[in-house]
């Protein structure tokens, strides 16, 4: 007998509710919208590109330009790829980059110089509460210090940044505190901690599994989809701190169905593949505490100095997150898996910086695959028995027996979230209430992958 595991999330989204609903309004109507519209032939004028296509073009141009390449970013307003180059003797490569469709601009700092500056920060200013990432929009290193970096620590950081030279880095102060977003509560549970499931995957041996944050994986070995419930998965690999923040958790039942999708509450978004992030790209995050939120990628290859240790190779964004969102999925509106929530500062009321583990790096490290066969029943997930039928509630997936009935408002109900007794199975809202009219905390509408 197979079991479709749907980790639960808190639907009473508190302060993050307004942000989540706004993001949903942006995401859902445009899930399959194309941003194409530029000329098909190679022209000197920058081409109009989707963010995913811009990422592919950036990778190609990085190889073609060589040392002249100084980073790139996606201009979402113009829907164009902007490529930085340092002036040199070979102007032909710049001409070729323009022919490929990029908006090429000349800058002062090469990637080698920027990476050298980042290495200096690592050796001289690895201070808990600091982070840095290369920002191609300013052609500088963006250095951030949280509220704990004061006194001698601040002086040391400021001196190191100044020592990099004028025009090499910017130093900013964050009002919050850098921390991992793990907490006690609902969603996936282990050892008294709550995290979020990121993406369902297929492990190297073909077994169903999922990705989550590494700091969740090192916290405890076994995870459940209900507080004090029986374990459903066991940590196979986990990295934190160090070169990443990711963990592979294999489902204990090898017959578990692990669809490659993210559950947005009232419908799911199919995840087709993993992709690299692009600075300037619009992204969406799903987490067990705050639900759905959106924002932009601000920097790549970020280093974050958490209290537990230094983590490298992360994606920096302005997408909000809160404790319990750790491990949650970062993705695009067209179903590309981008990252796993690591940590940051602030919350979904005041905002702040948030960092994500790139999915591509995590998949390569653990030897897992995403999409296709990783769906664990892909033939049925789009509209068949499992995704749109018996398991999900058939044609009544939004308000039917399973999604809006016993599973959503009854059995798991609002009681577990402190919202009163379990409802009568008729709730469809996201707020929850004492009379059971809202979808409860353990409503089965959390991430499915």
């Amino acid at each position: 007998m197979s079991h479709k595991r749907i980790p639960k999330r808190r639907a009473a989204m508190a302060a993050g509710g307004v942000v989540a609903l706004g993001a949903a309004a942006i995401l859902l109507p445009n899930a399959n919208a194309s941003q194409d519209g530029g000329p098909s032939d190679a022209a000197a004028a920058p081409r109009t590109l989707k963010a995913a296509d811009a990422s592919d073009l950036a990778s190609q141009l990085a190889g073609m330009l060589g040392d002249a390449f100084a980073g790139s970013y996606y201009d979402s307003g113009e829907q164009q790829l902007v490529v930085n180059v340092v002036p040199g003797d070979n102007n032909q490569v710049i001409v070729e980059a323009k022919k490929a469709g990029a908006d090429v601009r000349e800058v002062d700092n090469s990637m080698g110089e920027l990476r050298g500056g980042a290495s200096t920060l690592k050796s001289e200013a690895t201070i808990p509460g600091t982070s840095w990432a290369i920002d191609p929009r300013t052609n500088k290193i963006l250095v951030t210090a949280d509220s704990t970096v004061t006194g001698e620590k601040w002086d040391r950081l400021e001196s190191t940044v100044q020592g990099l030279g004028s025009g090499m880095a910017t130093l900013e102060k964050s009002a919050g505190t850098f921390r991992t977003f793990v907490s006690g509560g609902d969603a996936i549970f282990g050892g008294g901690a709550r995290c979020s499931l990121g993406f369902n995957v297929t492990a190297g041996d073909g077994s169903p599994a999922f990705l989550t944050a590494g700091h969740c994986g090192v916290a405890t070995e076994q995870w459940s989809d209900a507080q004090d419930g029986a374990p459903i998965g066991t940590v196979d690999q986990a990295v934190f701190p160090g070169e990443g923040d990711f963990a592979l958790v294999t489902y204990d039942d090898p017959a578990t169905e692990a669809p490659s999708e993210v559950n947005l509450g009232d419908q799911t978004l199919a995840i087709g593949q993993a992709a690299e992030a692009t600075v300037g790209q619009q992204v969406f995050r799903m987490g067990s505490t705050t639900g759905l939120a959106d924002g932009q990628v601000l920097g790549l290859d970020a280093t974050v100095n958490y209290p537990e240790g230094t983590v490298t190779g992360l994606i920096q964004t302005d997408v909000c997150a809160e404790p319990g969102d750790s491990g949650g999925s970062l993705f695009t509106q067209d179903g590309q898996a981008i990252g796993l929530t690591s940590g940051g500062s602030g919350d979904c009321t005041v905002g702040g910086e948030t960092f994500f583990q790139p999915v591509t790096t995590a998949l390569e490290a653990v030897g897992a695959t995403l999409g296709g066969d990783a769906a664990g029943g892909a033939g049925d997930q789009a509209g068949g028995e499992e995704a749109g039928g018996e398991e999900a509630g058939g044609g009544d997936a939004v308000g039917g027996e399973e999604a809006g009935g016993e599973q959503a408002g009854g059995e798991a109900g609002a009681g577990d979230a402190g919202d009163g007794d379990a409802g009568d199975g008729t709730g469809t809202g996201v707020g929850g209430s004492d009379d059971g009219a809202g979808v409860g905390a353990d409503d089965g509408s959390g991430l499915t992958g």
Side-chain angles (χ1 to χ4, degrees):
M1 178 179 179
S2 66
H3 301 279
K4 189 172 183 178
R5 295 296 183 183
I6 305 179
K8 304 165 178 64
R9 68 176 173 86
R10 180 187 303 171
M13 296 181 184
V18 174
V19 176
L21 289 174
I26 295 171
L27 173 64
L28 299 181
N30 302 290
N32 297 312
S34 172
Q35 295 175 314
D36 285 323
S40 57
D41 58 331
R47 291 173 52 201
T48 298
L49 299 167
K50 294 187 296 184
D53 295 334
S55 178
D56 292 339
L57 179 58
S59 297
Q60 296 170 13
L61 291 178
M64 184 183 78
L65 292 170
D67 292 340
F69 180 76
S72 64
Y73 64 94
Y74 182 63
D75 184 336
S76 58
E78 298 294 330
Q79 296 182 359
Q80 295 172 351
L81 175 69
V82 181
V83 175
N84 297 333
V85 298
V86 289
D89 297 329
N90 188 2
N91 291 327
Q92 185 59 34
V93 293
I94 297 178
V95 173
E96 293 301 321
K98 290 182 178 180
K99 284 184 178 181
D103 181 6
V104 180
R105 67 170 189 168
E106 293 188 358
V107 295
D108 294 328
N109 299 319
S110 69
M111 285 301 294
E113 291 170 331
L114 292 170
R115 288 170 178 157
S119 296
T120 299
L121 287 164
K122 181 179 179 180
S123 62
E124 298 182 11
T126 297
I127 302 167
T130 62
S131 72
W132 49 82
I134 294 174
D135 181 2
R137 289 171 297 189
T138 62
N139 188 230
K140 296 179 182 180
I141 305 169
L142 174 60
V143 183
T144 307
D146 72 13
S147 59
T148 67
V149 182
T150 59
E152 293 182 0
K153 293 179 180 179
W154 172 262
D155 293 341
R156 175 181 160 196
L157 179 64
E158 187 176 41
S159 175
T160 303
V161 170
Q162 292 175 349
L164 297 178
S166 176
M168 182 62 68
T170 58
L171 178 58
E172 296 183 355
K173 190 77 171 179
S174 172
T177 302
F178 290 158
R179 67 197 189 283
T180 54
F181 291 130
V182 61
S183 177
D186 55 356
I188 59 171
F189 301 82
R194 182 184 91 237
C195 286
S196 298
L197 187 152
F199 298 97
N200 279 323
V201 298
T202 300
D205 61 1
S207 60
F210 64 84
L211 294 175
T212 189
H215 64 267
C216 299
V218 300
T220 187
E221 184 178 6
Q222 293 187 309
W223 289 86
S224 171
D225 60 355
Q227 192 167 21
D228 300 322
I232 64 165
T234 302
V235 175
D236 180 79
Q237 302 176 54
V239 173
F240 178 82
E243 297 181 358
D245 184 3
F246 56 89
L248 177 71
V249 182
T250 56
Y251 287 104
D252 294 336
D253 181 357
T256 296
E257 292 194 26
S260 185
E261 59 188 28
V262 174
N263 193 320
L264 303 175
D266 58 351
Q267 62 180 286
T268 60
L269 177 68
I271 299 297
Q273 63 180 347
E276 301 288 349
T278 302
V279 171
Q281 178 181 26
Q282 183 186 34
V283 286
F284 296 83
R285 176 198 54 74
M286 196 70 186
S288 68
T289 300
T290 56
L292 187 64
D294 72 308
Q296 283 194 349
V297 175
L298 301 180
L300 304 177
D301 197 20
T303 295
V304 186
N305 296 300
Y306 292 122
E308 300 91 340
T310 299
V311 179
T312 60
L314 300 182
I315 302 166
Q316 183 171 348
T317 79
D318 61 4
V319 184
C320 73
E322 296 182 6
D325 289 332
S326 280
S329 49
L330 185 74
F331 54 96
T332 64
Q333 66 176 10
D334 56 354
Q336 292 187 323
I338 300 295
L340 307 166
T341 307
S342 173
S345 68
D347 54 36
C348 287
T349 299
V350 301
E353 303 82 15
T354 306
F355 302 93
F356 295 83
Q357 164 66 46
V359 170
T360 52
T361 305
L363 289 172
E364 182 178 3
V366 302
T369 56
L370 184 150
D373 292 340
D380 294 329
Q381 74 170 343
E385 179 181 354
E386 298 299 328
E390 181 182 355
E391 291 280 337
D396 299 322
V398 175
E401 179 182 354
E402 294 296 326
E406 181 182 355
Q407 292 290 340
E411 179 184 349
D416 289 345
D419 291 331
D421 295 332
D424 61 3
T426 61
T428 57
V430 296
S433 62
D434 290 345
D435 63 4
V439 177
D442 292 345
D443 63 356
S445 63
L447 294 175
T448 60

